[in-house]
Amino acid sequence: MSAFETLWRMALTLAISAGGGLIAEAAGLPAGLLMGGALSVTIASLIGVPVAMPRRLRDVGFVLVGLSMGASVARDSLALIPQWPVTMAGLIIELVIIVWATGYMLKRLFGLDSGTAYLSSFPGHLSFIMGIASAGVGNSRQIMVIQTIRVMMLTVCVPIGALFLPSGAGFETAAEPMVALPRLAAVAAACVVAGWIFVRLKVPAGYVLGAMAAATLAKLTGNFDGSLPQPMLTVTFILMGALIGSRFAGITYAEFRQASIGGLIATAMTVGIVTAIAAASTLLVDMPFGQIWLGLAPGALEGMGALGIALGYDTAFIAAHHVTRLLLLSFAIPLVVWLVGRQERRLDLSMRSEK
């Protein structure tokens, strides 16, 4: 393939991702830029459009994803946890049950490998998960379909469910100012270096995990305050949408059908687990069921926060739980990936010894 053809395919892929993302964003879909871009490039791949993402551009996307994940960690999130010990405990229990139960189901019922099953089971951090999957952990195409079905189902189920939730008392939050550009440049440079080191150390998804580690460390030590510029986030989601969608080229109908069914079952299990934990929490704390449910729901923070405002719930409670969920997932996802890798290496050694 000539350099011109590679550049043309790359430009076409990015244009499709940007167009689909902007349409989804305008329609108000959660994570619209990412999901819309990924779905549009996926459809283009399935109908035979020549899409492509060069390796270097892919690595840039990985670093941006890791940087964005680290920037989303709130410095005061750890201080907020003791204010709601029962529901925070419920959140931890919920995440463990969701990841274990849905991962086990996807392995046993659908025969997915451990990496694909457990990355498909995580309720959140989609761009981080797909960054790891796209770097070689699990089957990224199946993970994308299952996670897409999960997000789509939650998009439908959460607003409908909210119609049956009682109202509470209002609460408002303030927007965070944008991070200073010199500080952003310094942290981004540290993310690139950390990602390069992780790759050299042969850490899975090295650029993603290295960049996230550097950005998270800067955030928790007070050296990375503020929100990321919106254009930077837009570029990040367009790149990831293009990368995710381009990996669907060549997928069979049987693969798509299997992953879709798994996604529907996983979503139903997740909603059921959240509802059960929220109901149990109401027996121990004096809070509205709806407020607890929105705080524990595996949907996007902005969507749950908007519903909380509309229903008059304490959005500080909802935000704290969602930030904590993302913080827990930031550490749980790499841990599970490491455990899965260790298990696969043990199985490989066992099979070799038997031969």
Side-chain angles (χ1 to χ4, degrees):
M1 185 185 303
S2 66
F4 175 79
E5 185 176 1
T6 299
L7 289 175
W8 180 80
R9 289 189 176 190
M10 179 191 71
L12 176 63
T13 305
L14 293 176
I16 294 172
S17 179
L22 291 174
I23 292 173
E25 189 79 2
L29 297 179
L33 284 172
L34 176 65
M35 298 304 302
L39 288 174
S40 61
V41 178
T42 296
I43 294 172
S45 299
L46 294 175
I47 64 176
V49 176
V51 298
M53 282 288 287
R55 184 172 63 86
R56 293 299 181 188
L57 187 60
R58 178 201 66 182
D59 292 341
V60 171
F62 290 161
V63 171
L64 289 175
V65 167
L67 173 62
S68 301
M69 294 304 100
S72 69
V73 176
R75 287 184 60 199
D76 59 350
S77 60
L78 297 178
L80 291 173
I81 293 177
Q83 297 183 29
W84 303 288
V86 172
T87 51
M88 286 295 179
L91 177 65
I92 295 172
I93 294 171
E94 164 193 296
L95 291 177
V96 172
I97 295 175
I98 288 174
V99 173
W100 177 82
T102 56
Y104 183 84
M105 178 274 297
L106 291 171
K107 284 182 63 178
R108 294 301 179 185
L109 292 186
F110 298 95
L112 300 183
D113 62 271
S114 296
T116 302
Y118 286 107
L119 283 179
S120 298
S121 68
F122 281 105
H125 260 341
L126 177 60
S127 56
F128 184 29
I129 290 170
M130 293 313 304
I132 292 178
S134 299
V137 180
N139 186 320
S140 61
R141 296 187 300 189
Q142 288 184 319
I143 294 169
M144 177 58 197
V145 174
I146 293 173
Q147 289 283 7
T148 298
I149 295 296
R150 180 185 67 82
V151 172
M152 286 180 172
M153 288 296 294
L154 288 172
T155 302
V156 175
C157 292
V158 171
I160 293 176
L163 296 176
F164 301 95
L165 299 179
S167 298
F171 193 87
E172 296 183 357
T173 57
E176 188 178 19
M178 192 180 75
V179 63
L181 294 182
R183 183 61 57 86
L184 174 60
V187 174
C191 288
V192 172
V193 173
W196 182 83
I197 293 174
F198 274 45
V199 169
R200 291 293 178 180
L201 294 175
K202 300 187 183 303
V203 176
Y207 277 113
V208 179
L209 297 180
M212 187 202 74
T216 300
L217 179 62
K219 187 78 171 182
L220 295 179
T221 56
N223 295 306
F224 192 28
D225 292 328
S227 61
L228 295 179
Q230 187 57 46
M232 181 179 179
L233 293 175
T234 299
V235 170
T236 300
F237 291 138
I238 289 175
L239 283 175
M240 289 308 300
L243 174 61
I244 293 166
S246 64
R247 291 184 175 271
F248 274 81
I251 190 172
T252 65
Y253 173 74
E255 287 180 311
F256 186 85
R257 181 181 61 184
Q258 181 189 47
S260 297
I261 296 173
L264 290 171
I265 297 175
T267 301
M269 291 175 63
T270 299
V271 172
I273 292 167
V274 170
T275 302
I277 296 294
S281 298
T282 59
L283 302 177
L284 302 173
V285 296
D286 185 19
M287 292 184 191
F289 168 79
Q291 177 173 300
I292 297 174
W293 196 92
L294 289 177
L296 300 181
L301 171 59
E302 60 272 15
M304 299 303 102
L307 285 172
I309 293 172
L311 295 170
Y313 292 132
D314 180 358
T315 53
F317 172 90
I318 297 172
H321 283 67
H322 279 273
V323 168
T324 301
R325 173 173 61 89
L326 295 179
L327 179 62
L328 291 171
L329 289 177
S330 295
F331 294 100
I333 292 171
L335 175 61
V336 170
V337 169
W338 177 76
L339 291 173
V340 167
R342 188 176 70 168
Q343 181 186 38
E344 291 178 348
R345 286 192 295 270
R346 285 180 175 177
L347 289 175
D348 185 56
L349 290 174
S350 176
M351 293 176 63
R352 289 181 181 180
S353 64
E354 291 178 358
K355 293 180 179 179

